Amino acid sequence: MSEDNWFYEPPAFLKLLGCNGFDYDDGSDAVIMHFDVSKEFAHTGGTIIQGGFITAMLDTSMGHAVANKMEGKANCATLNISVNFLRPGRPGKLYAKGSITQLGKTIAYTESKLYQDDVLIATAKAVNKLTSWK
């Protein structure tokens, strides 16, 4: 994990979610974001991570894939996201692998997979509008 990958001060919600940074692979344009999620983000007696937080982890990995591909010159806003919850995520260490499937001048298509203990927990696909940082 490299703190050098950030093009901006990471938003506070990433810290709240337990984000421990991310790795970026130039060759595949993929981002792997690392999380250590506390039971405060879980229901059912603190045992199952709430779906909105799962979605946030998937979404942020896709956004960071776009930002890194654009070398910090652009960000993106999620226009549409579709999430598939495959297994319950438990408090603890997880990682989301976000990537770009197609990149146009104003729209990016992205996907992400969330893992815990190398077991696939959830997947997502999104349509993103490229935006400037300001």
Side-chain angles (χ1 to χ4, degrees):
M1 290 174 285
S2 173
E3 295 300 318
D4 299 332
N5 290 338
W6 299 103
F7 289 106
Y8 57 90
E9 181 67 27
F13 81 87
L14 286 178
K15 185 175 182 180
L16 289 172
L17 272 177
C19 182
N20 296 318
F22 67 94
D23 299 306
Y24 177 65
D25 179 357
D26 289 346
S28 66
D29 295 323
V31 163
I32 297 178
M33 298 199 77
H34 307 273
F35 298 92
D36 192 356
V37 180
S38 73
K39 67 180 181 177
E40 295 169 324
F41 294 94
H43 57 79
T44 314
T47 62
I48 299 173
I49 300 170
Q50 195 273 341
F53 301 119
I54 298 276
T55 301
M57 289 183 267
L58 292 160
D59 189 36
T60 198
S61 71
M62 292 183 283
H64 279 78
V66 172
N68 277 271
K69 173 68 174 175
M70 303 301 291
E71 298 178 344
K73 297 174 186 148
N75 198 4
C76 65
T78 303
L79 298 174
N80 179 285
I81 187 169
S82 175
V83 178
N84 298 298
F85 301 98
L86 307 174
R87 291 177 180 75
R90 309 283 182 189
K93 295 184 186 304
L94 297 100
Y95 66 92
K97 184 175 183 180
S99 60
I100 300 166
T101 57
Q102 188 173 354
L103 182 62
K105 291 182 181 179
T106 60
I107 300 290
Y109 295 88
T110 56
E111 63 184 12
S112 182
K113 295 180 179 179
L114 183 69
Y115 296 90
Q116 187 166 41
D117 298 323
D118 293 324
V119 174
L120 186 61
I121 301 299
T123 64
K125 290 186 178 197
V127 179
N128 308 275
K129 171 79 172 159
L130 298 180
T131 63
S132 68
W133 287 102
K134 297 179 183 184

